[in-house]
Each structure stands twice: as structure tokens, then as C-alpha cells.
Amino acid sequence: GNSVTQMEGPVTLSEEAFLTINCTYTATGYPSLFWYVQYPGEGLQLLLKATKADDKGSNKGFEATYRKETTSFHLEKGSVQVSDSAVYFCATPPYSGGGADGLTFGKGTHLIIQP
Amino acid sequence: GAGVSQSPRYKVAKRGQDVALRCDPISGHVSLFWYQQALGQGPEFLTYFQNEAQLDKSGLPSDRFFAERPEGSVSTLKIQRTQQEDSAVYLCASKNLGDTQYFGPGTRLTVL
């Protein structure tokens, strides 16, 4: 089945720094790709998604582009804030072309933003 | 509208006890998922329902784990004879059409 691999943290940045969290996927076909965020003490929230190659997902200043050439879906933000401190998960369905099954997640990247 | 809710939020069990974890999905959502998240790891799929039918239970780690959704709405994940390795956060998610899953806050289970 499909899988994702993301860079492990923690990633520590200063406020207003540029952020990249790497995620690469292995898949048959072109499944949807997701970034979820987990703030301290809260549940997983969908941050953004892309449903086909070359799509760009964006939300709250974060962006990720579905790149089939490099099988990547890296998360970026131009200027991070302390409030962005959280754990970020890359995810994809285990099989392409179907939306019924559960998601396969990466191990998560803990982002720490220092003021 | 209301999101996915789970109860209890925290559960402490002695090894060997049975536990039941509840999930209330978003009203009208057809699909419901359970995940297990160990400390410092990503969520791992346990099982999936479409309405009341359990279509995939391939992720359940042992026959001590059982899930049900008898009326196609609320779901219960039951763990019998809990073991220390069952300690984790159990997440529930629901979705309707499309592929976006909405997650609850989770139940943190600690087995002593």
C-alpha cells in the first residue's frame, strides 16, 4: 500500500523564520495527500490537502505542492509564529483511487517556535 | 456544527480490566474510523465502519480489541483484558462524502 515518510524532529526555529517540513510518498498512482496538525492537548486537525499531482494546498499561511516528479509534499510557511508550535503529520490513503479506508500517517514532526 | 466527540478523555485501567471507549461522530457522517496513537508516533489505523457495517478491521492488533457501531452513529471500541502495551491515545474520526476525515480529541488510555 501507499506510505509517507516525513522528517523527524524536533524542529526548532525562531519566530518569523522560514519553515520546511519534508514529506515524501510511495504510492501506486496518485493518491490524495494531507497535512494534519496536532496542537498541544488537542485532536488532529486537517491543515491542508491536495488531491492530484501539481495541486497546491494552502491554509493559515502554510502551503504544500503535490510534486509527482520528486514524490514529495513538503510543508512550507514563509514566516512562522509561536502559535504554530505543534506536531505536524503527513498522511495519505493506503490505496490510490479510493476514499474508504483509513489514512496512513507519518511519524510526525514536532515544531517548536521560539520567540 | 458539533465536531467529533470522544469519552472518556482519560482512562486509567489496571492490567486485565476491560475498557470501553465511546465515539460520537459528526451527525450524518457515514464513515467512522478508529486509530491508535502511541506516544511520539503517528496514528495507526485500527478499523473502519460505513454506517453500521464494519468494512475493515485489519488494523486491530489482537482479538482482545472489538469495535461496534450498531445503529450507524455512535461507536464503541472495547478492549478486553487490557495489557500495558495497549496504553495509547485512541482517536476516532468521521467523514461523509470526499476524503477529509475529521478527528475527535482522543481518549488517553493508561494501563497500569
Side-chain angles (χ1 to χ4, degrees):
Chain A
N2 303 331
S3 64
V4 292
T5 302
Q6 63 182 105
M7 62 188 290
E8 294 189 21
V11 173
T12 303
L13 297 172
S14 297
E15 205 165 20
E16 299 183 1
F18 184 87
L19 168 72
T20 300
I21 300 178
N22 291 339
C23 172
T24 57
Y25 66 89
T26 302
T28 303
Y30 301 105
S32 296
L33 297 170
F34 303 83
W35 277 103
Y36 278 83
V37 59
Q38 190 170 37
Y39 297 103
E42 298 184 17
L44 282 166
Q45 300 176 23
L46 178 66
L47 181 59
L48 54 82
K49 68 176 184 180
T51 58
K52 60 183 186 294
D54 299 325
D55 262 3
K56 177 186 284 188
S58 61
N59 186 27
K60 299 182 179 180
F62 290 88
E63 293 183 341
T65 301
Y66 190 153
R67 299 194 187 279
K68 61 182 180 181
E69 301 85 1
T70 53
T71 63
S72 65
F73 192 56
H74 303 325
L75 183 68
E76 297 180 333
K77 186 173 186 181
S79 177
V80 292
Q81 305 300 312
V82 172
S83 57
D84 294 327
S85 298
V87 182
Y88 292 81
F89 294 93
C90 187
T92 190
Y95 302 103
S96 303
D101 289 333
L103 294 171
T104 296
F105 287 85
K107 292 187 176 182
T109 303
H110 188 191
L111 175 65
I112 301 168
I113 305 301
Q114 296 178 334
Chain B
V4 178
S5 61
Q6 294 185 244
S7 60
R9 291 292 310 276
Y10 303 90
K11 177 69 179 178
V12 178
K14 293 182 179 178
R15 188 163 57 94
Q17 283 184 331
D18 298 348
V19 298
L21 312 180
R22 177 187 170 105
C23 172
D24 284 81
I26 293 172
S27 179
H29 276 196
V30 170
S31 302
L32 185 146
F33 304 82
W34 283 99
Y35 294 84
Q36 181 189 58
Q37 186 177 16
L39 188 63
Q41 301 294 315
E44 294 196 359
F45 170 79
L46 294 177
T47 187
Y48 155 65
F49 290 85
Q50 186 168 311
N51 296 306
E52 68 278 5
Q54 189 174 20
L55 299 187
D56 186 350
K57 54 182 180 178
S58 61
L60 295 176
S62 78
D63 58 7
R64 296 186 295 104
F65 286 71
F66 172 77
E68 60 183 6
R69 194 187 186 198
E71 298 179 358
S73 178
V74 172
S75 177
T76 304
L77 176 66
K78 297 179 179 178
I79 309 173
Q80 297 176 327
R81 304 180 304 281
T82 52
Q83 304 294 315
Q84 284 190 323
E85 61 263 29
D86 300 335
S87 296
V89 175
Y90 290 86
L91 299 169
C92 177
S94 71
K95 78 176 186 77
N96 207 5
L97 301 177
D99 55 8
T100 300
Q101 295 185 25
Y102 297 88
F103 283 80
T107 295
R108 182 178 297 278
L109 172 65
T110 303
V111 181
L112 303 177

